[in-house]
């Protein structure tokens, strides 16, 4: 869907059936990338919606992180700190319930419309009333469709007041506001595209209504995303005119494009290709540990997978050593707990190893001595596919037949969110740099009905855990840092023992880039992978 008119020269560079075929096939598109354009190869087939009130995938986190402003942002150099974005300052009331933000004056959206506190309030209202997957980040503060206009409101053009239902740790509240759902949207522009009181939802799935340093120019599913410099941005303008994300899934194709100079950055390099590009004098590599955990989940609607002994047995049927050495070397580190390293409450314990004999004992206790069958929905990209195939082989050693059902990111996520899978392998990136981001999704399920609105990973896998849900909430309200960390460590131990989650590794994101690319930095979270500072 084209967002705005492209100039003819740029359209010629990208347009046409032949060029589309080239982009889709992963073969070289240019002899040399334009001097004013950063071209990245990346698997972007997980994009379902560009709307910040709905976008909840890794690719859209990065896209929106570069194209939308928020009240505050995570400090990319120190994720324990919060820095101002469009907010000039903020205060918290003595009772810990009211947050008052003063906005920077003279702000504008990319459309040219002024950005005021009314737009901030509208963004909150819109996210709550649309009630898409990421809405829980805001509803956990007691916001509802009935009270959001009173609890999140503009008191004057430059003042936004947000009232929460309990005295949470201020760092937790502010961290939540750095997430994609905290993006500020252009009320006036969206109002021009409302159909049947949908808050512009149909339009913004493929549209753009932000104020960030880049603006979304074009998105073609499973093909391309184009960002352009936003000349109305309040801060330092992006040095480059545009950034192009080309959908290239295969690591080998990305490496070839990078070596030939047909792209500037390769984003999905597998261990072998990453090792090879390191040897090329025209290429430099960057890496950063991410708050992203790869895991396998087991739907508790499946009567076999719902047995505690089966859940435990499967954790002993993963060859973690082989995965670490062969499939994620340089790209991650085996990590079997749900809070990533370098975050409050981390638990550095990896108790599970491949142990077929132990797994068989557990299966016999579950009445499944002769094994059973189930399916796994798998995004058709690496290292996920390779891990799924490794698991398939080790499960077979205990007479368990696992059928891999491949699909693109959109297909597998849609099925997963509908709770119609047997098992699923994927990744979970923190929504904000606080342990509750992962605890909430792995250990909390406030309503296990299919109609439940708090659609955490526990909910997606029909894991009904009222006691863990209470413990998760208690940890959130503990203001003593040491006590809070201990509570999260205890939650992780319980997940290790009883949960339908098999935690595998924490991601190290890597990229290969041409040596003329400067200021390309990977942040601690996907939405802090900033491309608007890059130069060539």
């Amino acid at each position: 869907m084209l967002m705005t008119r492209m100039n003819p020269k740029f359209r010629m560079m990208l347009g046409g059936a032949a060029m589309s075929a080239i982009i889709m096939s992963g073969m070289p598109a240019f002899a040399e990338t334009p001097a004013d354009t950063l071209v990245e190869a990346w698997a972007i087939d997980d994009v379902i919606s560009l709307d910040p009130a709905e976008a909840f995938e890794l690719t859209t986190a990065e896209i929106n992180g570069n194209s939308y402003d928020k009240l505050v942002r995570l400090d990319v150099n120190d994720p324990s700190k919060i820095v101002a974005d469009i907010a000039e300052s903020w205060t918290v009331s003595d009772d810990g319930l009211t947050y008052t933000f003063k906005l920077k004056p003279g702000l504008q959206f990319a459309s040219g419309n002024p950005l005021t506190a009314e737009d901030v309030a509208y963004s909150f209202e819109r996210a709550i009333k649309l009630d898409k997957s990421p809405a829980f980040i805001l509803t956990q503060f007691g916001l509802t469709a009935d009270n959001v206009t009173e609890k999140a409101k503009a008191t004057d053009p430059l003042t936004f007041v947000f009232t929460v239902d309990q005295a949470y740790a201020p760092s937790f509240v502010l961290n939540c506001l750095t997430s994609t759902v905290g993006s500020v949207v252009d009320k006036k522009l969206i109002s021009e595209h409302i159909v049947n009181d949908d808050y512009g939802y149909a339009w913004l799935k493929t549209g753009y209504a932000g104020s960030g340093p880049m603006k979304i120019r074009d998105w073609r599913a499973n093909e391309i995303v184009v960002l352009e410099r936003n000349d109305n941005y309040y801060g330092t303008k992006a040095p480059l005119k545009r950034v192009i994300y080309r959908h290239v899934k295969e690591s080998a194709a990305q490496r070839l494009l990078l070596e030939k100079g047909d792209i500037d950055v390769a984003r999905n390099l597998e261990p072998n290709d990453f090792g090879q590009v390191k040897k090329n004098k025209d290429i430099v590599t960057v890496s950063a540990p991410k708050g992203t955990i790869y895991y396998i989940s087991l739907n508790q609607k499946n009567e076999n997978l719902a047995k505690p002994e089966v859940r435990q047995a499967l954790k002993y049927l993963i060859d973690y050593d082989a995965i670490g050495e062969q499939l994620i070397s340089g790209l991650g580190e085996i990590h079997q707990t749900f809070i990533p390293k370098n975050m409050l409450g981390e638990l550095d314990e990896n108790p599970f190893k491949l142990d077929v004999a132990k797994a068989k004992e557990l299966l016999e206790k579950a009445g499944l001595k002769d094994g059973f069958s189930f399916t796994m929905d798998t995004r058709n990209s690496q290292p996920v596919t390779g891990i799924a195939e490794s698991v398939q082989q080790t499960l077979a050693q205990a007479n368990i037949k696992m059928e891999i059902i491949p699909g693109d990111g959109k297909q597998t996520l849609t099925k997963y969110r509908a709770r119609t899978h047997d098992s699923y392998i994927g990744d979970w990136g923190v929504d904000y740099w606080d342990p509750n981001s992962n605890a909430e999704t792995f250990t909390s399920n406030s309503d296990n009905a299919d109609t439940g609105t708090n659609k955490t990973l526990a909910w997606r896998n029909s894991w009904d855990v009222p006691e863990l849900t209470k413990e998760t909430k208690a940890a959130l309200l503990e203001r003593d840092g040491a006590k809070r960390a201990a509570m999260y460590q205890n939650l992780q131990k319980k997940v290790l023992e009883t949960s339908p989650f098999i935690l595998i590794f924490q991601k190290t994101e890597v990229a290969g880039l041409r040596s003329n690319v400067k200021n390309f930095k990977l942040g601690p979270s996907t939405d802090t992978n900033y491309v608007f500072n890059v130069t060539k």
Side-chain angles (χ1 to χ4, degrees), residues 178-243:
T178 70
S179 65
T180 298
V181 75
S183 300
V184 180
V185 299
D186 187 335
K187 179 180 179 180
K188 182 178 179 181
L189 178 60
I190 290 175
S191 297
E192 297 169 3
H193 299 278
I194 291 175
V195 178
N196 297 326
D197 298 321
D198 72 343
Y199 284 89
Y201 171 68
W203 173 74
L204 202 54
K205 284 179 75 74
T206 57
Y208 173 65
S211 59
M214 307 297 289
K215 56 186 178 182
I216 303 174
R217 170 57 70 92
D218 191 11
W219 167 45
R220 283 174 263 160
N222 296 350
E223 186 177 343
I224 197 169
V225 174
V226 181
L227 305 182
E228 277 199 351
R229 180 173 57 227
N230 173 19
D231 290 325
N232 286 330
Y233 180 57
Y234 76 85
T236 302
K237 306 299 186 291
L240 297 180
K241 185 174 183 180
R242 66 179 65 87
V243 175

Side-chain angles (χ1 to χ4, degrees), residues 8 39 116 131-132 135 156 194:
V39 182
T116 71
D131 195 27
K132 301 302 178 182
D156 64 50
I194 291 175

Side-chain angles (χ1 to χ4, degrees), residues 121 134 211 237 252 254 390 461 515:
S211 59
K237 306 299 186 291
Q254 290 194 14
S390 172
N461 291 282
S515 58

Side-chain angles (χ1 to χ4, degrees), residues 302-423:
N302 181 305
E303 62 179 13
N304 287 330
L305 299 179
K307 296 179 178 182
E309 299 88 353
V310 171
R311 297 199 299 255
Q312 196 78 349
L314 295 186
K315 294 175 185 181
Y316 285 106
L317 288 171
I318 310 292
D319 194 341
Y320 302 94
D321 289 340
I323 290 171
E325 294 169 6
Q326 300 171 20
L327 300 178
I328 62 167
S329 177
L331 307 182
E333 182 179 351
I334 296 300
H335 188 76
Q336 296 175 3
T337 51
F338 64 73
I339 292 179
K341 290 185 176 181
N342 301 318
M343 184 178 283
L344 178 73
E346 68 169 279
L347 181 68
D348 190 14
E349 291 186 7
N350 296 319
F352 297 107
K353 300 288 184 181
L354 178 63
D355 190 335
V356 177
K358 186 174 183 65
K360 286 183 175 180
E361 290 177 7
L362 288 163
L363 291 171
E364 186 169 0
K365 288 180 181 179
L368 294 168
K369 179 180 179 181
D370 297 325
F372 63 100
S373 300
F374 69 102
T375 63
M376 175 181 284
D377 289 285
T378 306
R379 184 180 176 187
N380 193 18
S381 64
Q382 296 294 355
V384 169
T385 298
I387 295 173
E389 291 171 347
S390 172
V391 172
Q392 184 183 53
Q393 293 169 9
T394 50
L395 290 180
Q397 296 178 41
N399 299 316
I400 297 175
K401 181 180 179 182
M402 185 187 80
E403 177 189 355
I404 295 174
I405 302 178
D408 64 23
K410 183 176 181 179
Q411 290 169 331
T412 55
L413 280 169
T414 299
K415 183 177 179 181
Y416 187 35
R417 290 173 177 171
R419 310 208 298 182
T420 57
H421 63 294
D422 276 348
S423 70

